Amino acid sequence: MSGASTPAPAPSSLPDRLPREPRWKALLKSERFVLGAIGVVGFLILWEALARSGSINVQFFASPTMIAAAGAREVQDPGFWSDFFISLTEFLSGFLVAIVLGIPLGLAAGWFPKLNYALDPWLNFFNALPRVALLPILVIAFGLGIWSKIAVVFLGAFFAIVIPTVQGVRTVDRKYLDVATSFRASRRLLFTSVVGLATVPFIVTGLRLGMARALIGVVTGELYAATEGLGVIIRRSAETRQGDRMLFGVLIFTLSGIIGVELVRAVERRFQKWRPEGFRR
Amino acid sequence: MSAAAQPAVGRAVPRRWRFPGRPSDRVLYGLIGFLIVLPLWELLPTLGLVKRVTLSSPSAIVSVAIQDFTSPAEYLRINAPLNLSSRVWNSGYEYIASVDTWPIMVPNVLHLPSNLWVSAQEYMVGFLLAAVTGILLGLALGLFRRFRYLVEPWLDAINATPTIALVPLIILVFGIGFTQKIVVVWLEAIFVITLTVLSGVGAAEKKHLDTALSFKASRRLRFTSVILPSSVPFILTGMRLGATRALVGVVVAEFLASNAGLGFYINFSGTTLRTDRVMLGVILLGMFGIIVGELIRRIERRFDKWRPALR
């Protein structure tokens, strides 16, 4: 197969699109990607080597391959999945209740200044307080089961959602309100067509912050006092020196943190345009 | 709150006449909020609508606060119950009395000032360590692009992890004690500081940098005269966020393993069903959080002028 045997290609018109580099080639050229990959792989290799040579104690810092092996073992164990779903239930129920109660309260507090003044000291207090400090009371009130964790997840996320929502309502662009009022929009219409929509980006930010807080709530609640859940896997594995299993549990939390934050961030980007000038990020 | 946070919503009606000397709406309605909540809190357990053990009451909290702040620091003299009534004889073996309890000295683990001091030490050392290392790391990441690319994935991963999950590991490695608390507090606080400082270095205004460059400012001068000053507001914001996280770190580290400190006080009282003490500890924590946050916010406001406009 040589160039001489094939007929010379007809002089074709210009391609309508410039040939694009394949994605992986573009990635390889990006310094950021290459260095990032080197950082990840290099550190993993270093970790593995140190663990194999016995410089670090694998009972505590299990090597990456050991963690992977532990993970492969765990996912075949129905016990792990039941713990996983317990943690997921706690997270989702607490977070959902926080959304359902937090958004309306935030909108109301932003809309009615007097309500805002009355609530403000309490919101500030609970926001400055590490919510996990309430765990002993929650355990006394709701027991060791999932209810006390749902409560602490709820408390964690609730204030993180309410506070940006209040801020969102109170920073609605003046000119939109003026336009609406000059067209004699009722207060109700003002709320549904201007304020409600302008607040959406702030609510989404609240959701992102609340998500992180909720995850902290799940972990701390389960480490503190629980009988089931991923936190219990971490605690028990630490107590029995199963470093690989413990770090696998931590890894699950890392992954859920990343997935959760990315999900909300995608929503956040979608509503970025709605954000008033000066609050855009 | 700046002028931008003024309520934008409301009817444009002329201001109503108000009684001279009447407090502002903010103070008035804030007080009304307290006046609704506190009596309700006092009444609910008294009426038996909520169990006293789950809610306690303001009066109980006040009295236990006085008790625990004023009790002797080292030992407490208590009357311990005896299993059986015991007889007491004098030196001549004459019968004096029968007793059911016997005074003994026990270590006063619930002495609040000493518990507060323990937590304050852990908090200050851990937080300052996190602030110093976090700011340095953030600046380094912002200045050296390649270094940032190298560690970015790990930074993002750790930032997404609830670092509380690593507390059992920290206990294994550092044992139970002061070091373990410091490490937990440090780990909780450092990443938010680092990431905020990093975004501050990135936000240094292009035009200032360009001006410095056109005057042939050296790399060092550009850092000290442009990048560092414009990062100051971000450093302070990072410290404020880190201060909140550090408080979480102190509480959780003390919850999971400790024999002194405010977290210990709360946890110990919780396991002995003394909700009044738990509430007291929680209130002290909240007040501490507000004070530290407000302090840093004051300093932050002072440097707000330096903040570059974001984009």
Side-chain angles (χ1 to χ4, degrees):
Chain A
M1 201 163 111
S2 65
S5 65
T6 49
S12 64
S13 57
L14 281 170
D16 21 322
R17 248 188 295 170
L18 283 171
R20 255 187 78 189
E21 250 183 329
R23 210 152 175 199
W24 62 272
K25 261 191 183 167
L27 267 182
L28 276 184
K29 276 191 187 153
S30 132
E31 195 180 25
R32 183 177 190 164
F33 177 78
V34 174
L35 282 176
I38 292 175
V40 172
V41 176
F43 185 73
L44 286 179
I45 291 174
L46 182 74
W47 184 358
E48 184 76 42
L50 284 176
R52 296 238 163 149
S53 69
S55 315
I56 54 177
N57 191 342
V58 288
Q59 282 184 353
F60 305 160
F61 298 101
S63 71
T65 49
M66 288 171 73
I67 298 172
R73 251 182 291 132
E74 286 297 317
V75 293
Q76 289 163 7
D77 179 6
F80 165 78
W81 288 108
S82 83
D83 278 330
F84 178 81
F85 283 117
I86 293 273
S87 292
L88 192 69
T89 314
E90 289 163 0
F91 175 80
L92 287 181
S93 354
F95 193 48
L96 280 180
V97 177
I99 293 174
V100 169
L101 296 182
I103 294 177
L105 185 73
L107 289 175
W111 188 243
F112 304 109
K114 287 172 187 170
L115 180 62
N116 185 28
Y117 296 148
L119 287 179
D120 210 32
W122 301 95
L123 290 180
N124 278 336
F125 175 77
F126 277 103
N127 197 40
L129 175 81
R131 260 58 53 82
V132 291
L134 293 166
L135 265 170
I137 299 175
L138 297 176
V139 170
I140 292 175
F142 300 109
L144 287 173
I146 66 168
W147 290 104
S148 56
K149 278 78 201 176
I150 292 179
V152 78
V153 169
F154 163 75
L155 284 175
F158 181 72
F159 296 98
I161 294 173
V162 171
I163 289 171
T165 309
V166 175
Q167 194 202 9
V169 177
R170 291 167 65 83
T171 50
V172 174
D173 206 336
R174 184 84 230 188
K175 56 176 187 259
Y176 296 138
L177 290 173
D178 287 347
V179 171
T181 29
S182 14
F183 283 100
R184 308 192 67 174
S186 63
R187 250 170 99 75
R188 186 203 179 118
L189 187 62
L190 209 62
F191 187 79
T192 51
S193 73
V194 180
V195 178
L197 300 183
T199 312
V200 168
F202 289 84
I203 294 178
V204 181
T205 303
L207 294 185
R208 181 163 56 80
L209 299 174
M211 167 97 70
R213 299 281 185 90
L215 211 55
I216 292 176
V218 174
V219 179
T220 317
E222 289 180 352
L223 288 180
Y224 178 71
T227 50
E228 309 164 280
L230 288 174
V232 177
I233 291 191
I234 295 179
R235 200 180 65 206
R236 293 234 172 101
S237 324
E239 281 161 2
T240 52
R241 301 288 186 278
Q242 294 172 281
D244 47 356
R245 198 156 162 250
M246 169 181 60
L247 287 178
F248 177 68
V250 176
L251 187 68
I252 299 281
F253 277 113
T254 306
L255 290 179
S256 21
I258 293 175
I259 293 170
V261 169
E262 279 309 315
L263 274 178
V264 185
R265 207 165 265 164
V267 182
E268 211 174 4
R269 264 195 295 273
R270 166 124 181 41
F271 290 108
Q272 194 65 262
K273 268 182 291 194
W274 294 15
R275 204 177 275 267
E277 209 69 47
F279 284 91
R280 212 163 276 167
R281 255 175 288 188
Chain B
M1 288 261 155
S2 61
Q6 286 297 311
V9 183
R11 284 157 296 184
V13 288
R15 193 172 259 280
R16 241 178 293 160
W17 179 85
R18 39 174 53 173
F19 186 67
R22 197 189 122 174
S24 71
D25 267 9
R26 175 170 285 276
V27 177
L28 184 70
Y29 286 96
L31 277 176
I32 290 177
F34 274 95
L35 287 181
I36 293 172
V37 171
L38 290 183
L40 206 65
W41 188 3
E42 186 70 52
L43 271 177
L44 279 179
T46 315
L47 295 177
L49 293 174
V50 184
K51 278 190 217 153
R52 197 170 280 279
V53 70
T54 58
L55 208 60
S56 190
S57 67
S59 57
I61 295 170
V62 171
S63 73
V64 88
I66 296 169
Q67 191 186 327
D68 283 349
F69 269 107
T70 54
S71 61
E74 294 295 320
Y75 286 94
L76 212 56
R77 194 187 170 83
I78 61 164
N79 284 323
L82 298 171
N83 279 343
L84 297 166
S85 290
S86 295
R87 293 178 172 186
V88 185
W89 294 273
N90 68 7
S91 53
Y93 291 104
E94 291 161 3
Y95 172 79
I96 299 173
S98 262
V99 291
D100 298 323
T101 61
W102 193 254
I104 55 166
M105 303 291 268
V106 291
N108 186 9
V109 289
L110 294 175
H111 183 240
L112 257 177
S114 45
N115 279 319
L116 284 174
W117 175 233
V118 169
S119 289
Q121 280 171 308
E122 291 162 2
Y123 180 80
M124 282 188 288
V125 176
F127 174 60
L128 287 181
L129 217 59
V132 172
T133 49
I135 292 169
L136 288 179
L137 184 62
L139 289 175
L141 287 169
L143 292 179
F144 306 113
R145 190 167 38 101
R146 298 221 166 89
F147 175 50
R148 180 170 76 238
Y149 292 160
L150 209 57
V151 299
E152 214 168 27
W154 290 106
L155 212 58
D156 287 342
I158 302 177
N159 191 41
T161 314
T163 37
I164 298 289
L166 291 169
V167 176
L169 177 67
I170 293 168
I171 292 176
L172 283 185
V173 176
F174 295 97
I176 295 172
F178 191 65
T179 328
Q180 163 239 342
K181 313 288 186 311
I182 299 299
V183 175
V184 174
V185 175
W186 175 79
L187 192 68
E188 269 300 294
I190 181 171
F191 290 105
V192 64
I193 300 179
T194 302
L195 292 173
T196 318
V197 174
L198 176 60
S199 71
V201 177
E205 266 185 75
K206 185 95 173 64
K207 62 172 184 242
H208 295 166
L209 272 177
D210 286 347
T211 314
L213 259 181
S214 19
F215 284 100
K216 298 188 99 169
S218 65
R219 220 181 137 75
R220 188 206 181 108
L221 187 62
R222 262 181 289 152
F223 173 69
T224 54
S225 70
V226 180
I227 294 176
L228 200 56
S230 72
S231 313
V232 167
F234 291 86
I235 290 176
L236 289 169
T237 307
M239 283 176 70
R240 179 163 55 80
L241 299 174
T244 323
R245 293 287 198 92
L247 207 56
V248 178
V250 171
V251 173
V252 176
E254 288 183 349
F255 268 12
L256 295 181
S258 71
N259 58 7
L262 194 53
F264 166 79
Y265 177 90
I266 294 175
N267 188 24
F268 184 88
S269 308
T271 47
T272 49
L273 298 183
R274 290 299 300 264
T275 320
D276 42 0
R277 289 206 167 99
V278 177
M279 290 283 186
L280 175 62
V282 167
I283 291 170
L284 289 175
L285 262 180
M287 276 163 34
F288 184 75
I290 290 177
I291 291 170
V292 172
E294 199 45 48
L295 255 170
I296 304 181
R297 200 166 283 154
R298 284 265 161 85
I299 310 173
E300 218 179 331
R301 238 173 263 151
R302 195 168 149 355
F303 286 100
D304 241 1
K305 268 182 289 191
W306 295 16
R307 194 181 288 271
L310 279 174
R311 245 176 257 172

